[in-house]
Amino acid sequence: MKDMTDMPASHRPDRQNAPAWWQTEVIYQIYPRSFQDSNGDGIGDLAGIESRLDEIVALGVGAIWISPFFPSPMADFGYDVSDYCGVDPMFGTLADFDSLLAAAHARGLKVILDFVPCHSSDQHPWFVESRASRSSSKRDWYIWRDARPDGSPPTNWIGEFGGSAWTWDDTTGQYYLSVFLSEQPALNWANPDLRTAMLDAMRFWLDRGVDGFRVDAIIFAAPDVDGGDHPPNPDWTPAMGPARSQLQTRLAHQPGVFDVVRDMRRVTDSYPDRVLIGETSGTLNDVMPYYGADMDLFHLPFYFAMLSTPWQADALSALVARYEAALPDGAWPTLVLGNHDISRIASRAGVAQARVALTLLLTLRGTPVLYQGDEMGMDNATIPHNRVQDPWERRVPGLGLGRDPARTPMPWTDIDHGGFSTTEPWLPLHLPPEGSFARQATDPGSMLNYARRLIALRRAHSALSQGTYRQIHVGPDVMVFERRAGTNRLVVCLNMSATAQGVSASGVPVLSSCGNRVEAFVRKLVLAPNEAVILDVSPGG
Ligand code: NOJ
Ligand code: CA
């Protein structure tokens, strides 16, 4: 255990202190291309986000995470960065960013950026220099290897978007590693100069005042490039996409990754009150080490298993139980339910379950990250063939892997282009089943207003934002659990079926997804189909 006395109060682990903001606040994820367009080019931008801050505050969240807005050729819509310390003109200027940051802070909102450390764009000056010659001073900033004697790539590794994870480069006659697109060459964190340059990029934004980072695709930071081929995945089915046909035994979660994260955390911790969040895809065993033995790696390593769990109460309860049991001492949970890479939760769980799903996300122990639009019940859009944008869908079509359906613009109003833009947006506008934001804002019974009440309840009850989790009842259709902090005790009852369900729980209903309940106290709760109810069971509650 570290000596706490020489650490600033804000850096000490939570058990010694009041909880940190990143433990109690809800984080709201913004996909900037699709949030709000301010200049009529059909693409969202930073000034657009700033113009919508009041709506974000009204939702009750305490932080925003903004997906990449750095200069980029947009081969992977900003996850191919060509300058880590700038703003793409499409999204605005650095001055626009500073203005957004100040406006967010003035409203008490924290701002988290997306840091993309494992690959740059092939247009980044570092890569242009690296590929120019084998003796370039930046050659080793990327991962170059000779072909095998037959000319094939150095290993059999398949890239995340299909095809080989290696790209041939004619100029210098070698392959470079590219785990996603060829336009996203992998950065070599084993090179000390590259490491310094990347950590400096983090400092650039921390110095400007950002409150932390969500770190992209971190599991690939230290590939064992000379370790050989990947074995086949015995559980693979084609619907999983080509990359999952192998076990990434050499590419993902290699020991060097943890040193990289430790360095990132040191930089983060040299500023007060910041947060480091990891896109740590993998099994429970893969993810837990990302907290660090001394809680010195990610504050919040994402756990994604809910995205691939059937929407059934028993399966979800079992997942939460396994997760809770695996968390090391001092680790703060964060279970993911949606983001810009996956089918909308309202489509995965079913539109009728959208409020139940939102309730689960916002009442589980740990930090919820709410993806833009999920508060309104956005479901997947159908993207016509000629409007497909996502490179993954273009490369591996027809398997449902494409991410455009969850990336359509925010439908703010019912007027042309949804109040998102004055012109046809980059992806078609799609309205959720309950209608636009404006429509939902004026309807007290809307999903949006339910989300606001739910988040307000979470803020009002320490049991929900900080309390313990205890499973009370599980069946195939109903999930019931208690959240408790001292005398503050709430019981969350979720009906994941389309029929009414009796639950032996008693208390004062403080929230229902189906509108106001008239009972002051219930002895035996009967949940309506697809209903979520939160009972206050505090003494005198
Ligand atoms: C994960 C990001 O969330 C995704 O959108 C992106 O395509 C890959 N990492 C590559 O950066
Ligand atoms: Ca714009």
Side-chain angles (χ1 to χ4, degrees):
M1 196 68 210
K2 285 198 183 78
D3 178 6
M4 306 281 172
T5 49
D6 60 2
M7 294 170 110
S10 58
H11 297 200
R12 287 181 211 147
D14 54 292
R15 275 169 303 168
Q16 267 66 33
N17 274 304
W21 63 266
W22 50 266
Q23 295 176 303
T24 55
E25 298 291 352
V26 177
I27 300 173
Y28 184 73
Q29 184 196 350
I30 294 179
Y31 193 67
R33 291 183 76 86
S34 292
F35 198 63
Q36 176 68 58
D37 177 19
S38 73
N39 62 349
D41 64 356
I43 298 171
D45 44 54
L46 296 179
I49 298 173
E50 185 172 340
S51 74
R52 291 289 182 187
L53 286 177
D54 289 337
E55 284 84 345
I56 297 171
V57 170
L59 184 57
V61 303
I64 53 176
W65 147 32
I66 313 174
S67 285
F69 51 77
F70 317 108
S72 166
M74 302 290 160
D76 190 19
F77 295 111
Y79 285 94
D80 48 321
V81 178
S82 54
D83 174 3
Y84 285 96
C85 301
V87 172
D88 195 285
M90 181 183 285
F91 293 119
T93 62
L94 259 181
D96 292 334
F97 175 76
D98 289 340
S99 167
L100 167 61
L101 185 64
H105 282 169
R107 289 165 173 81
L109 274 179
K110 305 280 187 184
V111 177
I112 299 166
L113 301 197
D114 212 314
F115 185 52
V116 189
C118 292
H119 44 263
S120 72
S121 161
D122 63 345
Q123 303 304 306
H124 196 297
W126 298 342
F127 188 70
V128 172
E129 206 178 321
S130 183
R131 86 189 313 178
S133 91
R134 289 199 187 199
S135 59
S136 151
S137 63
K138 299 250 174 357
R139 185 66 171 179
D140 186 47
W141 284 35
Y142 294 84
I143 299 174
W144 295 94
R145 288 293 182 278
D146 289 332
R148 287 198 263 209
D150 66 356
S152 62
T155 65
N156 71 345
W157 303 355
I158 297 174
E160 289 294 293
F161 296 148
S164 173
W166 294 94
T167 304
W168 176 253
D169 186 58
D170 255 341
T171 315
T172 53
Q174 281 192 311
Y175 282 97
Y176 63 86
L177 184 65
S178 50
V179 178
F180 291 86
L181 299 171
S182 291
E183 294 90 338
Q184 294 167 294
L187 286 160
N188 181 19
W189 278 79
N191 179 294
D193 296 334
L194 176 279
R195 192 177 283 234
T196 303
M198 290 301 281
L199 297 175
D200 282 349
M202 293 179 80
R203 288 191 191 94
F204 174 85
W205 294 106
L206 290 163
D207 284 340
R208 294 193 104 78
V210 307
D211 299 288
F213 299 99
R214 170 270 191 188
V215 181
D216 184 73
I218 187 64
I219 65 170
F220 301 120
D224 179 8
V225 177
D226 302 308
D229 283 350
H230 283 155
N233 174 3
D235 301 323
W236 181 72
T237 57
M240 294 158 87
R244 298 284 84 76
S245 68
Q246 303 180 329
L247 300 174
Q248 294 176 319
T249 50
R250 302 292 180 189
L251 179 55
H253 308 296
Q254 300 303 298
V257 169
F258 303 108
D259 296 330
V260 170
V261 181
R262 191 167 294 108
D263 280 358
M264 292 178 180
R265 176 66 181 267
R266 274 198 206 108
V267 169
T268 307
D269 277 355
S270 64
Y271 297 74
D273 231 11
R274 306 301 211 265
V275 69
L276 197 63
I277 306 174
E279 195 205 8
T280 44
S281 323
T283 65
L284 206 47
N285 286 339
D286 292 330
V287 174
M288 291 301 121
Y290 284 94
Y291 284 102
D294 293 324
M295 294 295 123
D296 56 348
L297 301 181
F298 287 118
H299 296 102
L300 299 174
F302 281 147
Y303 184 48
F304 291 101
M306 275 210 292
L307 304 183
S308 51
T309 301
W311 196 254
Q312 287 158 12
D314 43 5
L316 290 162
S317 295
L319 180 152
V320 175
R322 279 196 303 275
Y323 180 59
E324 285 281 342
L327 285 165
D329 224 22
W332 192 253
T334 183
L335 280 155
V336 177
L337 197 62
N339 61 33
H340 63 295
D341 289 332
I342 186 89
S343 166
R344 285 275 182 187
I345 181 59
S347 295
R348 278 183 287 129
V351 165
Q353 279 287 304
R355 294 179 190 212
V356 173
L358 192 72
T359 313
L360 180 67
L361 174 71
L362 289 159
T363 59
L364 282 172
R365 198 167 77 85
T367 304
V369 181
L370 177 57
Y371 177 48
Q372 70 178 47
D374 283 350
E375 73 279 17
M376 297 195 264
M378 281 284 278
D379 56 344
N380 286 342
T382 305
I383 309 294
H385 240 52
N386 61 353
R387 296 290 302 268
V388 169
Q389 296 277 355
D390 184 16
W392 198 358
E393 178 65 27
R394 289 188 172 168
R395 287 169 61 95
V396 190
L399 291 181
L401 301 171
R403 300 165 294 176
D404 294 333
R407 293 178 174 179
T408 55
M410 285 288 277
W412 294 104
T413 67
D414 291 298
I415 59 165
D416 282 353
H417 311 304
F420 165 75
S421 179
T422 51
T423 191
E424 179 61 28
W426 74 288
L427 276 175
L429 199 86
H430 170 70
L431 278 179
E434 294 193 31
S436 69
F437 176 92
R439 185 169 296 235
Q440 293 198 35
T442 54
D443 172 3
S446 70
M447 170 117 185
L448 174 66
N449 277 312
Y450 177 67
R452 288 172 175 170
R453 285 196 294 277
L454 185 53
I455 295 173
L457 190 76
R458 196 178 183 281
R459 293 190 93 97
H461 289 271
S462 56
L464 289 180
S465 58
Q466 298 160 55
T468 54
Y469 169 91
R470 185 169 66 91
Q471 180 180 304
I472 294 184
H473 169 82
V474 196
D477 297 322
V478 178
M479 180 172 179
V480 181
F481 53 89
E482 180 199 66
R483 301 292 317 281
R484 178 179 196 162
T487 54
N488 188 213
R489 283 175 63 193
L490 298 183
V491 171
V492 180
C493 310
L494 306 175
N495 183 356
M496 297 185 166
S497 79
T499 52
Q501 302 284 340
V503 174
S504 49
S506 56
V508 179
V510 284
L511 190 69
S512 161
S513 62
C514 299
N516 288 336
R517 279 186 162 255
V518 286
E519 313 98 312
F521 183 89
V522 289
R523 248 169 233 301
K524 184 174 185 311
L525 181 66
V526 179
L527 291 167
N530 303 301
E531 187 183 20
V533 171
I534 301 180
L535 298 173
D536 192 340
V537 298
S538 313

